[in-house]
Amino acid sequence: MQYYIWTIGCQMNTADSRRLASALERAGLTPAARAEDADVVVLNTCVVRRSAEDKVYGRLGSLKPLKKRKPDAVIGLMGCLVGVRDPAPLRRRFPWVDAFMPPSDPQPLLELLAERRMVDEGRAIESGSTARRYCPHGGDLLLPAHERGRLVSANVPIVLGCSHACTYCVIPYRRGPERSRPADDILAEAETLVSQGVQEITLLGQIVDRYGYDLVSSPNLRPETLKPETPLVDLLRRLHDIPNLHRIRFLTSHPGWMADELIDAVAALPKVCEHIEVPVQAGDDEVLARMHRGYTAADYRSLVARIRERIPGVSIATDIIVGFPGETEAQFQRTYDLLAELRLDKAHIARYSPRPQTLATRRFEDDVPLEEKERRRKALDDLQAKIVGELNAPLLGQTVEVLVEGKKEPRPERGRRGRWWGRTRTDRLVFFEDERDWHGRLARVRITWTGPWSLIGEPEGSP
């Protein structure tokens, strides 16, 4: 029996798919290279933006003839398209789908496979028990066979769902309210991943800085476990003590919740990378208020200044939405000016798209034309490319530390052998060519070419 998983969306979805693959392999399945070859096909979905949702519907449509050719094949739908509510409307719309799974919960699929006797019932119960502990995620994670000993960097969810309810965001409606995982579970998972070859972990949360606050207020939490410091800081310190774990990252932060204590911890803990992802979303205060973000542009400027002052050499990434309902040209210009002023290291820029159930869809008219949204997006993209190109240029001739994650396929038509790739501590993508095996190694790379999106260099020394 073989399985195939198609994943779209955020790092949380990537982590969920990895956990699902682990559960399926525990139940006795093996991975297939193509959906057409698999007995079990799962789409792990994203609906944060309309473009992602459209891709999901297209992929779903392509599976209908597959189900007709192979009626015994099991097709599963997982993630934010399913959400945490009754999937009955989806069942009626997509009758060729057999199992509907909420985000992070593969249990419905495992139960169906056991019911149809496609897997051994005992192994299904065992993997199902692991899956049940994963909701919220359990601590043990046996990587899929093809990643064991090969995966260098892994995502570890620590906060599930979100309760902040920004007016444009569908996550609270699809992934449910904010729930933090127990620290001991997170530590156990990190240790298990490191034992299987992982050297870098990224802690995930919709608002990662809020990790643990719901545990502190839990009536089941023992008083002796409470700590006066920021819970995420305590977690970072405990993770820092894991042997053979070389790097730690966390995302995504929120300007209203990123405490100075957390900034100081990044500066003080050598394994925590000097890389902060903290979305601004807009540079105009009225737009930020309509988004229900809870801070002003001045607050964001102050936060960036504190981060740069306290963390030498830090890189800062942000997210921006253009064309939010009611955004005028003058308001967009304030966002443009803010980005030009702060000169951040990375900016993920997206056009606003109405999402079902969100407050913005219910309260505001989507009144910025699509052509204007695209013009604004491209203007910021062009600005950011110029900024990052200028930030990267001084790295020419310098030597940087790169954790090598893999090797790109050779492209003889361009005269390229296979190129190794990895990231610096500040999340810059670096490529280099070399015949030796650098997989999973920390390489010192002298930069010979710089661009806005990547760097190219030559390795110094041996693997």
Side-chain angles (χ1 to χ4, degrees), residues 55-81:
K55 289 179 182 177
V56 171
Y57 289 141
R59 190 72 175 181
L60 266 172
S62 72
L63 293 180
K64 187 175 181 179
L66 173 64
K67 181 70 172 179
K68 192 171 183 179
R69 290 196 307 272
K70 298 173 63 175
D72 292 335
V74 171
I75 295 177
L77 195 63
M78 184 178 183
C80 286
L81 183 63

Side-chain angles (χ1 to χ4, degrees), residues 111-125:
E111 291 176 351
L112 177 65
L113 295 179
E115 178 185 316
R116 294 190 179 183
R117 299 186 179 181
M118 297 177 70
V119 298
D120 178 80
E121 186 174 1
R123 298 173 80 175
I125 291 173

Side-chain angles (χ1 to χ4, degrees), residues 206-238:
Q206 194 68 21
I207 301 181
V208 73
D209 319 303
R210 283 181 52 84
Y211 169 74
Y213 288 119
D214 57 318
L215 297 179
V216 170
S217 62
S218 169
N220 298 321
L221 194 69
R222 299 188 306 276
E224 61 268 24
T225 66
L226 298 178
K227 295 181 180 294
E229 62 191 357
T230 305
L232 180 56
V233 171
D234 180 51
L235 179 64
L236 289 173
R237 288 175 178 158
R238 295 178 68 184

Side-chain angles (χ1 to χ4, degrees), residues 1 49 74 169 185 215 218 288 367 399 401 447 460 462:
M1 298 284 291
R49 298 192 180 101
V74 171
C169 186
D185 282 0
L215 297 179
S218 169
L288 288 170
D367 56 357
T399 299
E401 180 192 86
I447 301 303
E460 297 180 346
S462 300

Side-chain angles (χ1 to χ4, degrees), residues 22 40 44 57 68 73 81 90 142 163 179 209 241 253 268 287 311 319 327 329 394 446-447 463:
S22 174
V40 178
N44 194 358
Y57 289 141
K68 192 171 183 179
L81 183 63
L90 289 173
L142 181 66
S163 300
R179 295 100 65 208
D209 319 303
D241 292 335
S253 292
V287 174
I311 308 174
D319 294 352
E327 183 186 66
E329 178 61 30
R446 185 175 63 84
I447 301 303

Side-chain angles (χ1 to χ4, degrees), residues 90-115:
L90 289 173
R91 290 185 189 278
R92 291 191 293 269
R93 184 174 179 183
F94 305 108
W96 59 93
V97 175
D98 302 285
F100 295 85
M101 295 164 280
S104 307
D105 184 10
Q107 187 65 16
L109 175 63
L110 296 169
E111 291 176 351
L112 177 65
L113 295 179
E115 178 185 316

Side-chain angles (χ1 to χ4, degrees), residues 27-41:
L29 280 72
T30 58
R34 305 183 310 153
E36 293 76 9
D37 301 328
D39 305 284
V40 178
V41 179

Side-chain angles (χ1 to χ4, degrees), residues 116-192:
R116 294 190 179 183
R117 299 186 179 181
M118 297 177 70
V119 298
D120 178 80
E121 186 174 1
R123 298 173 80 175
I125 291 173
E126 179 187 354
S127 59
S129 175
T130 301
R132 192 174 292 109
R133 290 199 303 274
Y134 183 55
C135 198
H137 306 44
D140 58 337
L141 172 59
L142 181 66
L143 288 171
H146 69 282
E147 291 185 330
R148 225 168 294 152
R150 299 295 297 171
L151 186 67
V152 175
S153 180
N155 299 316
V156 177
I158 66 171
V159 184
L160 310 178
C162 186
S163 300
H164 190 75
C166 299
T167 59
Y168 55 81
C169 186
V170 75
I171 292 297
Y173 307 97
R174 298 307 177 104
R175 286 189 170 266
E178 179 181 89
R179 295 100 65 208
S180 296
R181 294 175 61 195
D184 288 346
D185 282 0
I186 298 168
L187 288 163
E189 181 170 330
E191 289 169 349
T192 302

